[in-house]
Amino acid sequence: MTLRPLLATLALLLIAPLARAAGTSLELPLLFSDGAVLQRDRPLPVWGQAAPGTQVTVAFDGRSAQALAGADGRWSLQLPAHAAGGPYELVVHAGTQEQRVRDVLVGEVWLASGQSNMEWPVAQTLHAEEDIAAAGDGSLRHFKIPKSWAETPQAQLQGGAWKAASPATVGEFSAVGYAFARELRRVLGVPVGIIDSTWGGSSIEAWMDASMLGLDAVALEAKMRERRASDAKLEAATRARLEGWPAVDPASEAFAVAELDDNGWRPIRVPSLWEAQGYTGMDGVAWYRTSFELSASEAAAGVTLGLGQIDDTDTTWVNGQRVGGVSNGYNVPREYRVPASVLRPGLNTIAVRVQDDGGGGGVAGSATEVWVQPVGGPRRSLAGDWRFRTAAVTVDTAGDKNQVDTLLYNAMIHPLQPYPLAGVIWYQGEANASDSGAYRYREQFKTLIDGWRKRWHAPAMPFLWVQLAAFDSGDDRRDARGVVLDSPWATLRESQSAALALPATAQAVTIDVGAADDIHPRDKRTVGQRLSRAARRVAYGDEAVVYRGPVFRQARAEGGQLVVAFDAPGGVLAVRGGGNAPQGFEVAGADGRFHPAHARIVGDTVVLHSDAVPAPDSARYAWSDNPAQADLVGRDGLPASPFRTREW
């Protein structure tokens, strides 16, 4: 190569990076997009990317501010606080580039985060039809962040857009967030925006950054490296299990026939999610088969099948005849009536096609939910080993990233900062309600609240949450009398309550709006309204609003009784449904063995006694996963929070 071409080549190599940098497109965080809601009465930071060295000017309703993009292209500036109102236009200039953010409102902005009960959409709630039909408030807006994860903190969200409430859109809004926002709109009369950053089944650890978890960069990278290796190993093991099963049309019914050679199928335990049995990361369509025997008279009368809770969708056949199916009902116990015309004396074959669209998959629930019952006869268990094979599946361990330290924080929380917020509403804890996790949650939760406040530079940012609803989790450990010895769900509720020691916090107690057989109670309107009461008191200073029920204060022994005192609004205690004898209390003596207690309300106290405990020294209330009988309320009907007078 001659000298002149060589110099030209070197010049191009030097100039090209500068040219690329100079051509860097002006970029704003996705929160600054058409239809945005900005927080009122707070200085407004605006930030983004531009070509290095570019002068950036942001104008909003007659006011403007400037910044210079740094060597890395990043810039940030601050506009003065603005009163509620709109719509306005936010205009950003960087050199010759311009971006206009239209239809911007200024009002109250709340971050709604947590797992599936906060994610749960309006369309799948108790009041769905009514709420969707009535939606039409253009000043109530929702920004849904897609499920996303990252190993390092991200500057930009992976997606999302602002949508105004209307019959066409509100069905996809967070139901709790929508009910909460609608109440604030009614009371405050200003625009309200909800940022929905949720992922069903997520653990609290996934929503915390490395420093909140006490991990330095080296420790975090070691954990991530270990996780990547584990994921790769699990994926490889799943793919190895699938070898020999060629994909078939997922809609095919070929595996439903009564007579079928299933020698190439494998055993699988029913009920149990297939991920727990060596099929980690698998989603798609798979088949289950088993059989049961009937006498001639039983076949002539018909049977009912119980097939547990199938995640997510099933179609079920008996002897090649379709007998039932449920779409997208992962927590719905299947019970199908099978007519005599389908049955025969002797052996009868069940075939179930299962479609799983994400998360856990397969035939789940409890062993007591899987059975066949002849007319007039007892149920016969069908729990045990069935035959199993796949039809059309994918394998990807990314679906469990909602359980991994920091990953959701990095992708779904960090990019929001420092977008000003009025506060946070939080509904999470089910994923941590385990023997090992429930007590640890009390410190983790406080750390998360403190950590998020520090990241937003808002030490008094209101943080409100939903205490776990009543649900028959099956995790309570009981003695021979049926009395609870240990309850992870009750312990986690206590851990949530412990965070009330932090300033500007409140919780909505929801043990009265749960559903024993559904971890996702459908009455989200009540939950959102209770959170809005808490917001009116904690965030907006309305001293007149009653936002909580009775809270345990102290207990003292008097003879053979235990007198439990409460802090209750107006000093009023009551029983939901009437009367003077609340249910759900237990007492114990020095031996620590609890017994159901007789209770009566006396002023702002509840007096407890039990013939089985002559000298009670401790008590507890609503101490189980599903305390449906607990009925102590306050003046406005809000439920008392579960508690124990001392730890054990």
Side-chain angles (χ1 to χ4, degrees):
M1 180 180 289
T2 63
L3 181 60
R4 182 173 293 177
L6 177 60
L7 291 174
T9 301
L10 290 172
L12 285 173
L13 291 174
L14 291 170
I15 293 171
L18 296 176
R20 284 196 298 271
T24 300
S25 295
L26 173 62
E27 182 180 3
L28 294 172
L30 289 179
L31 288 172
F32 293 100
S33 57
D34 290 352
V37 182
L38 306 179
Q39 179 59 41
R40 63 172 172 165
D41 302 331
R42 306 267 185 86
L44 176 63
V46 184
W47 69 100
Q49 288 280 131
T54 302
Q55 181 81 23
V56 179
T57 302
V58 179
F60 185 69
D61 190 27
R63 304 172 186 179
S64 63
Q66 291 78 38
L68 194 68
D72 58 359
R74 297 178 183 177
W75 58 269
S76 64
L77 52 80
Q78 186 168 278
L79 291 167
H82 197 293
Y88 304 106
E89 190 171 67
L90 183 79
V91 183
V92 184
H93 287 101
T96 61
Q97 295 181 308
E98 178 186 270
Q99 280 198 27
R100 291 179 176 268
V101 183
R102 298 173 173 84
D103 188 26
V104 178
L105 301 180
V106 182
E108 293 296 296
V109 181
W110 284 81
L111 171 60
S113 190
Q115 58 185 108
S116 54
N117 271 311
M118 184 64 85
E119 180 183 12
W120 203 259
V122 170
Q124 297 180 33
T125 64
L126 182 65
H127 304 98
E129 185 175 351
E130 178 185 349
D131 286 346
I132 291 172
D137 184 350
S139 293
L140 193 166
R141 299 181 179 183
H142 183 270
F143 187 102
K144 173 62 176 172
I145 297 171
K147 295 177 182 178
S148 42
W149 59 274
E151 291 190 359
T152 57
Q154 300 297 293
Q156 180 65 287
L157 295 169
Q158 292 185 20
W162 286 99
K163 294 183 180 181
S166 73
T169 62
V170 81
E172 299 177 355
F173 288 16
S174 158
V176 170
Y178 178 63
F180 172 81
R182 194 165 61 172
E183 283 297 297
L184 290 189
R185 284 278 298 134
R186 181 183 65 82
V187 173
L188 302 177
V190 301
V192 177
I194 297 293
I195 301 171
D196 176 356
S197 183
T198 53
W199 188 329
S202 55
S203 67
I204 192 173
E205 294 89 344
W207 297 104
M208 303 169 75
D209 71 10
S211 66
M212 297 176 206
L213 292 164
L215 298 171
D216 59 24
V218 174
L220 182 61
E221 173 54 29
K223 288 197 72 167
M224 293 303 169
R225 188 166 56 248
E226 180 182 338
R227 183 72 189 206
R228 288 192 292 270
S230 174
D231 285 350
K233 183 177 180 180
L234 290 170
E235 278 196 32
T238 299
R239 295 184 190 281
R241 282 180 167 271
L242 301 180
E243 289 180 0
W245 288 341
V248 299
D249 181 355
S252 170
E253 298 182 5
F255 296 146
V257 299
E259 307 300 331
L260 181 74
D261 181 5
D262 59 9
N263 285 329
W265 296 34
R266 290 198 183 94
I268 193 167
R269 187 172 67 258
V270 171
S272 178
L273 294 174
W274 62 49
E275 285 85 354
Q277 302 185 70
Y279 299 94
T280 303
M282 189 178 82
D283 297 316
V285 175
W287 285 79
Y288 291 73
R289 288 175 64 91
T290 194
S291 59
F292 59 93
E293 291 192 3
L294 296 174
S295 67
S297 61
E298 290 170 337
V303 302
T304 302
L305 285 180
L307 297 180
Q309 300 173 33
I310 298 178
D311 193 345
D312 297 293
T313 297
D314 77 291
T315 310
T316 298
W317 292 262
V318 172
N319 295 330
Q321 301 296 311
R322 180 171 174 170
V323 297
V326 173
S327 178
N328 294 318
Y330 71 93
N331 57 358
V332 179
R334 271 53 164 188
E335 294 189 11
Y336 301 137
R337 182 80 175 87
V338 185
S341 59
V342 171
L343 302 169
R344 57 196 180 193
L347 207 62
N348 293 263
T349 301
I350 303 171
V352 184
R353 181 176 63 199
V354 176
Q355 178 175 328
D356 172 47
D357 299 318
V363 182
S366 70
T368 60
E369 295 176 306
V370 184
W371 43 264
V372 58
Q373 184 176 27
V375 173
R379 293 178 176 180
R380 303 171 190 168
S381 177
L382 293 175
D385 284 346
W386 291 34
R387 304 295 289 172
F388 177 80
R389 73 149 290 174
T390 57
V393 297
T394 60
V395 180
D396 185 357
T397 55
D400 69 350
K401 294 301 185 287
N402 59 355
Q403 297 289 315
V404 182
D405 295 359
T406 76
L407 294 191
L408 306 192
Y409 175 88
N410 290 338
M412 300 176 70
I413 298 297
H414 185 269
L416 307 179
Q417 302 157 16
Y419 202 81
L421 302 173
V424 177
I425 54 174
W426 173 263
Y427 196 162
Q428 190 278 335
E430 296 92 339
N432 291 84
S434 64
D435 288 339
S436 60
Y439 194 86
R440 186 167 62 245
Y441 192 90
R442 67 193 57 205
E443 293 306 320
Q444 292 176 313
F445 192 30
K446 292 177 184 177
T447 300
L448 179 140
I449 295 170
D450 281 337
W452 284 20
R453 286 171 166 175
K454 288 176 182 175
R455 303 301 175 267
W456 261 276
H457 304 287
M461 181 170 68
F463 201 107
L464 320 173
W465 62 89
V466 183
Q467 192 186 65
L468 293 190
F471 171 64
D472 188 1
S473 70
D475 293 332
D476 283 359
R477 188 165 55 87
R478 299 174 181 269
D479 63 16
R481 303 169 298 151
V483 175
V484 171
L485 296 173
D486 186 43
S487 173
W489 276 59
T491 302
L492 194 128
R493 292 188 190 106
E494 182 184 65
S495 293
Q496 292 175 309
S497 296
L500 292 170
L502 298 176
T505 57
Q507 72 177 354
V509 177
T510 61
I511 57 171
D512 59 329
V513 292
D517 60 351
D518 192 347
I519 199 171
H520 302 115
R522 302 309 163 97
D523 181 7
K524 302 301 188 195
R525 181 188 289 178
T526 298
V527 178
Q529 289 173 342
R530 288 182 183 175
L531 284 172
S532 73
R533 287 188 180 206
R536 290 167 60 189
R537 183 65 170 268
V538 173
Y540 303 111
D542 186 346
E543 295 293 328
V545 68
V546 176
Y547 71 102
R548 64 168 177 82
V551 175
F552 166 70
R553 184 172 75 245
Q554 64 180 17
R556 67 181 188 275
E558 288 187 358
Q561 300 181 130
L562 199 67
V563 179
V564 182
F566 291 84
D567 288 324
V572 175
L573 300 178
V575 175
R576 186 172 56 250
N580 193 50
Q583 303 296 306
F585 285 91
E586 297 170 296
V587 292
D591 61 359
R593 286 170 57 85
F594 279 91
H595 298 263
H598 298 287
R600 73 180 191 279
I601 295 171
V602 179
D604 63 353
T605 70
V606 175
V607 179
L608 307 175
H609 79 276
S610 170
D611 293 340
V613 186
D617 70 356
S618 60
R620 63 187 187 186
Y621 171 72
W623 200 262
S624 68
D625 56 3
N626 180 38
Q629 78 286 1
D631 57 6
L632 182 67
V633 298
R635 183 184 67 192
D636 282 34
L638 294 177
S641 181
F643 69 91
R644 52 184 173 176
T645 58
R646 64 176 176 84
E647 296 181 16
W648 58 86

